[in-house]
Amino acid sequence: MKEAAFNISDFSLPRWNDLPEISLYSDQLITWINNTLEPISIGDSPLTKSMVNNYVKHGLVKPPVNKQYSRVHLAKLLVVCVLKSVFSMEQIGRYVFFAVEDSTIPATYDFFAEMLEKSIDDIFNKKVPDIKKDTDKEYLNRSIILACAYKIYVEKTS
């Protein structure tokens, strides 16, 4: 078994308030997301122009406004890029809709970022992930994020 290709303790997703406040054009968006996800990416680039177009076409993210992508676009695309290594676009669409139905996009995104970081840290440091079952929805959200973290571990260490 090979060692992890990166220092997992250095990985973090920016929180909602740390996402760029200004809207980004397509090339800027792709570069920013690929740089952000590079430490945990599996295989090719996490995001390409054709992927963005496909996600818009399938309703995972709304079309850009005046060819510019907002914080909401960034947050949703970061989540989609992480989830796509484990789940289909249809499953991702259901998860993203389900995750935000009782909350705001900023709160849901920050929860996702925090749980992904914690899950990756736990798994790479061989700790048993803490899965509290406060509600069925929270348990499902944690399970989805853990599935992604385990996939990253398997790909980075085997």
Side-chain angles (χ1 to χ4, degrees):
M1 184 158 86
K2 70 181 181 181
E3 288 295 314
F6 63 102
N7 183 351
I8 197 64
S9 62
D10 291 340
F11 175 73
S12 67
L13 278 179
R15 297 308 187 261
W16 177 263
N17 289 332
D18 298 325
L19 295 174
E21 290 183 36
I22 60 168
S23 295
L24 303 176
Y25 288 102
S26 178
D27 289 341
Q28 296 168 314
L29 168 90
I30 291 165
T31 299
W32 190 88
I33 287 180
N34 286 342
N35 287 341
T36 300
L37 295 179
E38 190 275 326
I40 63 167
S41 67
I42 299 168
D44 297 330
S45 295
L47 191 64
T48 65
K49 279 185 183 184
S50 61
M51 288 177 194
V52 173
N53 292 335
N54 205 22
Y55 301 150
V56 169
K57 179 178 152 187
H58 285 87
L60 295 178
V61 295
K62 291 186 178 183
V65 176
N66 297 323
K67 298 184 181 183
Q68 294 181 323
Y69 295 87
S70 67
R71 273 185 172 174
V72 172
H73 289 106
L74 282 169
K76 286 186 176 183
L77 285 168
L78 283 166
V79 171
V80 168
C81 287
V82 171
L83 297 179
K84 74 179 182 174
S85 69
V86 177
F87 300 101
S88 70
M89 276 200 278
E90 181 183 323
Q91 291 168 319
I92 294 169
R94 285 194 316 259
Y95 169 69
V96 171
F97 173 76
F98 176 75
V100 297
E101 68 184 357
D102 296 330
S103 187
T104 64
I105 290 172
T108 301
Y109 171 75
D110 283 348
F111 172 82
F112 177 86
E114 181 182 324
M115 288 309 306
L116 181 65
E117 290 169 10
K118 180 162 180 13
S119 296
I120 289 173
D121 186 57
D122 286 348
I123 291 164
F124 274 81
N125 288 303
K126 298 177 176 68
K127 298 179 198 170
V128 176
D130 179 25
I131 303 176
K132 297 181 278 185
K133 188 178 178 196
D134 296 331
T135 65
D136 288 341
K137 182 177 178 177
E138 185 172 288
Y139 184 76
L140 177 61
N141 286 337
R142 290 176 190 271
S143 297
I144 289 167
I145 294 166
L146 276 169
C148 295
Y150 277 116
K151 172 77 176 198
I152 293 165
Y153 176 81
V154 169
E155 293 292 328
K156 294 290 186 177
T157 61
S158 62

